[in-house]
Amino acid sequence: MSSAPAPAVVDADAAAGRAATPEEVRAHLEERSHLAPRRGVGSNRRTVPEILRRRLRESRVDTLSWRKVREPDAGDGAAGTWVPSTGSDLERELRWATLGLAELGIEPGDRVVILSNTRPEWGRADGAILCCGGVTVGIYPTSSPAQCEYIVEHSEARLVFCEDDEQLKKVEAFATKAGACPSLERLIVFEPAPGAIRDPEQARAARVLSLEALNALGAAAEAKDPKRFDARCDQVREGDLATIMYTSGTTGPPKGVMLTHGGIYAIVESACRVLPCYPSDRSLIFLPLAHSLQRIASYAGAWMGVPGAHCSSLDVLLDEIREIRPTVQASVPRIWEKFYSRIQTTVSQAPARRQRIFHWAVGIGRRVAALKRQRLPIPRWLGLQHRVAETLVFRKIRAQPGFDRVRYLTSGGAPISIEILEFFHAIGILIVEGYGLTETAAPATLNRVEDFKFGTVGKPIPEVRIRIAEDGEILIRGPGNMRGYYKNEAATTEAFTEDGWFKSGDIGEVDADGFLKITDRKKDLIKTSAGKYVAPQVVENLIKQCPQISQALVFGDKRKYCVGLITLDEEELRLWAQTRALELPTDMAMVIDNEMVKRLVDEAMENANRDLSPPEQVKRWTILPEDFTQDAETLTPTMKMRRNAIAKVYREQLDAMYDDETFD
């Protein structure tokens, strides 16, 4: 009997700073070719459980995950120890949790909710639900009890995984009401919580039990029938429903997007062919797993064998990125904007001589990066200066935030400023933008490391097609397109054209090279009273180039001119004030009245307006004393602004900027 050839391994460190060669990509994908066999509605090979099982069994001794463990008296900082989990560890937990759910009566097609922050248990619960044949329903932990109740009841969930006692109480607040959520039978808690049963003997009859009790049930079931786990996974078919992702919806109740195993599998496979990763890569998992971007990215990491570290708290995100030193990293634009602002603020605090060296180096970097993007040769004299800039400046800038090993970063979920993309490229960090929606299982288009264009969201990934409607709306057809909105036929019908293309709601265009450019959300486009169209996100990104500005929201629909609401980044603002020996009050309501602060914002607005046409220019603006937040329901969990909610909250301020007009 002949032995199997040793698997091909591509070293991320060896590939750092360059695109992988076609031979490396081909070898790495062929290593995983067993993951993409026959197709067919009845196939059980193109499913999420198949991705997970293959990865865990091929990496039994390899570290696939880290979590940070803190000492009891460590406080709220980033201090702690990163504890690894191997493929063998994760597979054992997956088997036990899957069989534990089966012992509790979870059947194929049953909906199971996960209400938790991003953490290792989230992914393990998700895997167990899917391997059991169930349907994962994620809820953002910042959701109110009323929002949680709606999703649990609408999805007819039988079981809810809760992160801790806080989330457990949130569910119990509505679950104990007469007639509420009649399908809900059990609650399982990740962290120890009062009243959660830990004894496996009592777990079957318990309404609230611990994760340990669930795993103990599964371990006992496996001891009786070691083949039961694989048998359960093999029942899952690619046409089966895998997840219902509820959109964060800025108006009305959220809609449940239904995605199948086969659709998720196809998108993961295509995305990995476009942006390949390797087992020696590293990434930090911190975006909400209830959102499609991080969930699909996690499945892609499992496909390619990329180990991931789970961020212990968003409060220490920047510290933990520095500790992990990722080589590839998915994020939303807000995080890259934060890094950009931090670099600019740090430079502004440096001595004048260092500032001159920095700006000289970035100028050289911009020229070299522009030539690379045009695929033009770099003159010898410019190359020599670039090597000096790399040694004196760029290497240190990348190392400080933990980006010294980065091969590429990705950005999605919202537009990002071209200035930020060009700046990072100048210092040796490539950020590639992608585009997709929950309804398309996340990525529909991606820029490639070897084929990208700033200001666009790339080209369609394999098997996905893009079409532009007569009114400019982007239409998408691909294997990841949703089956529909759960229990909402009217919305499902409205979401598709008569010939089956998904209507994205975004306005865009495809250039001569095949790159897709997004203009704005169709519903967000501003049409002034003079009939001129304004894309607010373009204007807002220009304004946010000022490091001390956190958010900018532009309004002006059916009005004579555009106005803006401006929020400040308090941390960056106070650092800015320190460099000017300016003492600011602790109360931000008083800070916004400071003349120097007002002058700072005025200059930022004037700089932005200088690059805009007259209809796009923001004529008046108001600085707000507080930032937009999830708690105030002015930001979504993925850090996008809720325009309608903000307009209601700040109606008085908006009205005041239109003299005697009333803001609609």
Side-chain angles (χ1 to χ4, degrees):
M1 182 174 175
S2 60
S3 60
V9 176
V10 181
D11 186 358
D13 287 326
R18 62 171 175 81
T21 67
E23 291 75 18
E24 289 174 334
V25 174
R26 193 177 304 114
H28 196 51
L29 291 172
E30 284 177 354
E31 176 196 340
R32 286 154 178 75
S33 61
H34 59 273
L35 284 171
R38 64 184 185 278
R39 291 175 179 270
V41 175
S43 171
N44 64 348
R45 301 298 297 276
R46 295 177 64 83
T47 64
V48 178
E50 185 66 11
I51 295 174
L52 301 178
R53 283 194 296 173
R54 291 285 187 177
R55 170 47 40 213
L56 296 178
R57 289 173 182 176
E58 289 179 358
S59 307
R60 290 185 184 277
V61 299
D62 298 330
T63 295
L64 292 184
S65 176
W66 288 275
R67 72 178 307 154
K68 178 167 280 188
V69 176
R70 291 193 177 95
E71 296 298 327
D73 57 350
D76 296 328
T81 303
W82 290 101
V83 177
S85 293
T86 65
S88 180
D89 298 329
L90 299 177
E91 186 199 10
R92 180 178 61 252
E93 292 180 14
L94 178 63
R95 292 197 317 267
W96 289 354
T98 299
L99 295 180
L101 291 176
E103 287 291 291
L104 293 178
I106 297 300
E107 298 291 340
D110 283 346
R111 274 74 65 201
V112 178
V113 163
I114 305 176
L115 174 58
S116 170
N117 284 288
T118 295
R119 56 187 291 158
E121 291 87 352
W122 207 114
R124 292 165 197 178
D126 176 48
I129 295 165
L130 298 178
C131 288
C132 199
V135 178
T136 298
V137 180
I139 298 182
Y140 296 106
T142 53
S143 300
S144 68
Q147 292 168 331
C148 294
E149 179 179 5
Y150 175 83
I151 294 175
V152 171
E153 186 158 348
H154 186 265
S155 66
E156 301 167 287
R158 290 188 61 195
L159 187 150
V160 176
F161 282 97
C162 300
E163 179 174 19
D164 51 22
D165 189 48
E166 178 186 352
Q167 301 296 346
L168 176 64
K169 288 177 179 176
K170 190 184 294 184
V171 177
E172 288 183 319
F174 61 78
T176 53
K177 294 190 302 186
C181 306
S183 62
L184 183 58
E185 299 171 2
R186 298 178 194 271
L187 308 174
I188 298 177
V189 193
F190 292 155
E191 293 185 2
I197 299 300
R198 304 184 69 176
D199 184 352
E201 296 299 323
Q202 304 176 48
R204 293 180 192 279
R207 178 174 172 79
V208 181
L209 61 151
S210 67
L211 188 60
E212 292 85 353
L214 177 73
N215 288 337
L217 275 177
E222 183 179 55
K224 295 177 182 177
D225 183 1
K227 297 181 179 180
R228 189 177 173 189
F229 170 73
D230 283 327
R232 195 69 187 247
C233 291
D234 289 341
Q235 291 178 0
V236 182
R237 297 292 187 263
E238 73 171 270
D240 292 345
L241 190 60
T243 185
I244 302 175
M245 294 189 184
Y246 281 82
T247 61
S248 51
T250 55
T251 58
K255 298 190 289 286
V257 176
M258 297 187 289
L259 301 178
T260 65
H261 281 272
I264 292 173
Y265 188 104
I267 293 299
V268 168
E269 180 182 26
S270 292
C272 288
R273 289 185 178 277
V274 170
L275 288 176
C277 304
Y278 314 120
S280 52
D281 274 315
R282 297 290 181 272
S283 185
L284 189 68
I285 302 169
F286 66 88
L287 295 173
L289 280 163
H291 189 265
S292 57
L293 177 58
Q294 184 66 77
R295 186 101 62 90
I296 299 300
S298 295
Y299 296 149
W303 176 291
M304 301 300 277
V306 179
H310 287 79
C311 180
S312 61
S313 168
L314 289 179
D315 294 335
V316 293
L317 172 62
L318 303 188
D319 295 312
E320 294 190 349
I321 285 179
R322 191 179 302 115
E323 293 172 7
I324 294 299
R325 298 168 61 215
T327 58
V328 294
Q329 185 63 56
S331 180
V332 292
R334 189 69 190 126
I335 303 303
W336 307 139
E337 291 167 359
K338 282 278 190 183
F339 276 111
Y340 174 82
S341 296
R342 180 60 55 85
I343 292 171
Q344 299 298 324
T345 300
T346 301
V347 170
S348 70
Q349 295 175 315
R353 180 173 174 274
R354 288 188 181 180
Q355 290 189 40
R356 288 195 296 271
I357 293 173
F358 170 83
H359 292 302
W360 167 82
V362 171
I364 295 296
R366 286 182 185 274
R367 295 169 71 178
V368 169
L371 290 171
K372 287 181 178 179
R373 292 196 295 273
Q374 298 172 62
R375 302 180 187 276
L376 295 175
I378 299 170
R380 184 171 178 273
W381 62 270
L382 185 59
L384 290 172
Q385 290 187 74
H386 188 259
R387 283 195 285 275
V388 174
E390 170 69 22
T391 302
L392 292 180
V393 179
F394 301 154
R395 197 173 296 166
K396 297 173 184 176
I397 292 178
R398 294 196 301 268
Q400 198 279 330
F403 286 159
D404 53 315
R405 299 198 316 137
V406 161
R407 293 197 299 114
Y408 63 83
L409 309 173
T410 67
S411 183
I416 186 170
S417 165
I418 294 179
E419 159 60 24
I420 291 177
L421 296 175
E422 291 181 346
F423 171 80
F424 277 106
H425 199 214
I427 66 172
I429 297 174
L430 175 63
I431 302 177
V432 289
E433 258 192 292
Y435 167 72
L437 302 96
T438 301
E439 289 87 344
T440 63
T445 68
L446 285 171
N447 276 287
R448 282 73 165 162
V449 172
E450 74 286 351
D451 185 21
F452 63 91
K453 186 181 290 188
F454 292 157
T456 78
V457 291
K459 298 176 179 178
I461 63 176
E463 298 192 62
V464 172
R465 295 165 63 196
I466 298 292
R467 190 174 84 190
I468 306 298
E470 289 185 6
D471 64 354
E473 184 173 9
I474 299 165
L475 307 178
I476 303 170
R477 171 172 276 171
N481 280 14
M482 67 171 179
R483 180 183 289 175
Y485 294 114
Y486 187 58
K487 297 196 294 189
N488 196 337
E489 279 191 38
T492 299
T493 301
E494 176 62 27
F496 290 90
T497 63
E498 291 183 0
D499 55 349
W501 292 71
F502 174 69
K503 296 188 284 188
S504 69
D506 291 309
I507 301 296
E509 59 186 27
V510 178
D511 70 13
D513 297 318
F515 288 88
L516 177 65
K517 183 177 182 180
I518 309 292
T519 304
D520 215 311
R521 288 293 292 170
K522 188 175 181 179
K523 65 182 180 182
D524 292 341
L525 278 177
I526 293 170
K527 186 178 182 181
T528 67
S529 58
K532 301 294 185 181
Y533 283 97
V534 175
Q537 292 181 358
V538 174
V539 181
E540 290 156 2
N541 277 334
L542 281 174
I543 296 170
K544 290 193 296 181
Q545 286 181 16
C546 173
Q548 290 75 37
I549 291 179
S550 175
Q551 299 284 2
L553 201 64
V554 175
F555 289 88
D557 198 48
K558 301 176 184 176
R559 298 295 178 180
K560 292 183 295 185
Y561 51 82
C562 291
V563 300
L565 294 176
I566 308 299
T567 73
L568 301 174
D569 185 320
E570 185 174 356
E571 183 179 1
E572 295 297 334
L573 184 68
R574 294 193 183 281
L575 288 173
W576 168 84
Q578 286 178 16
T579 64
R580 288 154 179 80
L582 175 63
E583 291 190 18
L584 293 177
T586 56
D587 186 353
M588 286 298 289
M590 297 175 65
V591 169
I592 64 173
D593 289 328
N594 181 279
E595 288 302 319
M596 287 187 67
V597 171
K598 289 195 286 187
R599 196 178 311 143
L600 169 73
V601 174
D602 289 349
E603 290 175 359
M605 300 303 292
E606 289 166 7
N607 290 336
N609 280 335
R610 208 171 287 129
D611 295 328
L612 297 169
S613 66
E616 295 174 311
Q617 291 174 354
V618 180
K619 306 300 184 184
R620 296 181 180 178
W621 49 88
T622 296
I623 309 173
L624 301 177
E626 65 279 322
D627 207 346
F628 304 141
T629 65
Q630 292 181 49
D631 289 341
E633 298 187 359
T634 49
L635 280 186
T636 70
T638 52
M639 294 182 259
K640 288 186 281 191
M641 294 180 291
R642 297 184 186 271
R643 294 178 182 273
N644 292 341
I646 293 169
K648 290 179 182 178
V649 173
Y650 298 103
R651 183 184 181 94
E652 182 179 339
Q653 289 89 335
L654 289 164
D655 283 346
M657 289 187 280
Y658 284 107
D659 295 323
D660 298 328
E661 294 185 9
T662 301
F663 184 80
D664 295 328

